[in-house]
Every structure is written in C-alpha cells, then in structure tokens.
Amino acid sequence: MEHTEIGVVRTAITRADPAAVAALSQFGVATVHEAMGRVGLMRPYLRPAYPKARLCGTAVTVLLQPGDNWMLHVAAEQVREGDVLVAACTTESEDGFFGELLATSLRARGCRGLVIDGGVRDVADLEEMDFPVFSRAINAKGTVKATLGSVNVPVVCANALVRPGDVVLADADGVVVVPRERAAEVAEASAAREAAEEGKRARFRTGELGLDIYGMRGPLAALGLRYED
C-alpha cells in the first residue's frame, strides 16, 4: 500500500467498469465474498444504520481526523453518479460524522451511500430518505471542521484496504470490497456460485442431506466418526 498523504485531494481516479459494477450489484455480500476467495470483508462491527439498507458502487475514499468531518464536505465535490463514499479515520472515533444534511448533498451528486468506520446520526431521516449508510456506531455527538485529512487516497476501513474506484457492496450480512481490476471476474464467479447454490437448494428441498450433497460421509468416517444406537 502506498504511503497515505494528509492534505491531498486526488481528482482523477480510475473507477471499476460500470457494467461490472451493475453485475456485482445483483449479488449479496456473502456470495461475492465467497466467489472472490473469501477475502475483502470489512469487520462485522460495521452495521446498516437502518433495516434493509443496501448499496453497491465505486469508492470515493476519505481519510478523516477524529471528531472532524471537514473532509466529507470536501469529498462531496469528487462524487459522481454511482459512487459510494468510504470513510476511514486516522484513529478510532465514534463521533457522529454524518447526518441528513450531508446525505442530501451526496444524493444530489448521485452518491449511492456511505460506509464509515465512525459514527452517524439522523438515522430516522436517513431511513426516510432511503440513503444507505453502514457505520461503526450511531452517535448524536457532533463534529468540528478544523483538521485536514485526504480524499481519494488508499484507506484501511474496518481492516479492509479500499482504493479509489474499487467496488464496495454492503447489505445485512456486512461490507465487502472488490478490487476494481477484478470486478468483472468476480461478477462472473458470483453468478456461477449462485447457479451452483440453486442446484443444491433444489436438492435440499427434496430432503437430501448436506452429508450426501457435499460428500461428507467418507471424510467423517476417515476421522473416526461412528454412529451408535
């Protein structure tokens, strides 16, 4: 990972192919995570600010300072239609960095939602707007605008590396990051995985057991599993 600068806004970024992003948006986070080789997940403490929140888009990244949301306003100018704002912090902070006013601003720019390793507030308004937010905390405590961070630099958000233009998906199961150059490949793998799961689902509906579908009996016996009456 390249060194992260403070006080820089990168205005030209390479985004994932829109067709690949649209294809990925059809799948759930768990499917994409598995199809990608079980990598890319953010920590599970990031949760939707309201039920049924879901998002998929290309990342505009923000590096915040604790208790300061100045760079979110700076980042809003860099958002294009289909982007998702992904905000990390230089150190842990659960202050309410984001609320309904910033959501209104971002929606006007075509933003698909926010993922933030920090706190948000105005969640009833966010739900009414249906502006998807995934956050570390819900916190009414406000922030200041006094310290520089950066926009469109690589960030580590909830233990996951996110580069500008990567694809970010979030739903009730969590948040996953797909590297922009792998977006089409992972979309294809996700489709193949869903097709395979549908076949297994049909077999489960008939009463067939996972023990037989997944060929588990032999390995279990080899390890010494025995059945007793």
Side-chain angles (χ1 to χ4, degrees):
M1 177 176 167
E2 65 183 274
H3 176 67
T4 297
E5 300 177 65
I6 296 294
V8 62
V9 177
R10 295 191 177 138
T11 59
I13 66 173
T14 301
R15 291 169 169 84
D17 177 66
V21 178
L24 282 168
S25 72
Q26 304 304 306
F27 305 111
V29 165
T31 294
V32 172
H33 166 62
E34 295 280 358
M36 194 165 52
R38 307 183 81 180
V39 296
L41 277 182
M42 293 189 184
R43 291 289 304 280
Y45 61 69
L46 290 188
R47 300 304 303 151
Y50 59 88
K52 298 185 178 179
R54 190 180 191 282
L55 61 80
C56 179
T58 44
V60 167
T61 62
V62 189
L63 183 63
L64 300 168
Q65 299 285 2
D68 193 315
N69 78 344
W70 211 359
M71 289 298 107
L72 290 175
H73 291 272
V74 174
E77 186 178 27
Q78 305 306 315
V79 169
R80 297 182 187 173
E81 180 71 37
D83 284 340
V84 168
L85 210 58
V86 179
C89 194
T90 58
T91 191
E92 291 187 4
S93 179
E94 295 184 344
D95 293 344
F97 290 93
F98 184 89
E100 175 265 333
L101 287 177
L102 264 169
T104 301
S105 174
L106 289 174
R107 170 150 287 168
R109 306 286 299 180
C111 187
R112 299 286 174 83
L114 169 74
V115 175
I116 182 169
D117 197 356
V120 300
R121 58 187 188 176
D122 301 336
V123 292
D125 296 314
L126 295 174
E127 182 173 16
E128 185 175 352
M129 294 171 64
D130 195 20
F131 186 88
V133 171
F134 290 74
S135 67
R136 182 187 187 99
I138 306 297
N139 193 346
K141 183 181 178 183
T143 55
V144 300
K145 298 168 180 62
T147 316
L148 290 182
S150 291
V151 176
N152 280 334
V153 298
V155 298
V156 175
C157 183
N159 282 30
L161 173 64
V162 188
R163 301 167 305 161
D166 286 346
V167 185
V168 178
L169 296 90
D171 61 22
D173 287 333
V175 185
V176 67
V177 183
V178 180
R180 55 182 180 260
E181 64 273 12
R182 294 192 63 192
E185 165 211 335
V186 174
E188 290 180 8
S190 298
R193 182 176 178 82
E194 278 217 339
E197 287 192 345
E198 181 53 39
K200 292 170 186 173
R201 190 174 294 112
R203 294 172 69 181
F204 277 124
R205 289 193 187 108
T206 68
E208 195 171 350
L209 295 172
L211 286 171
D212 300 308
I213 292 173
Y214 296 112
M216 295 176 177
R217 295 188 187 277
L220 288 167
L223 288 174
L225 182 70
R226 63 182 186 276
Y227 291 80
E228 297 179 354
D229 291 332

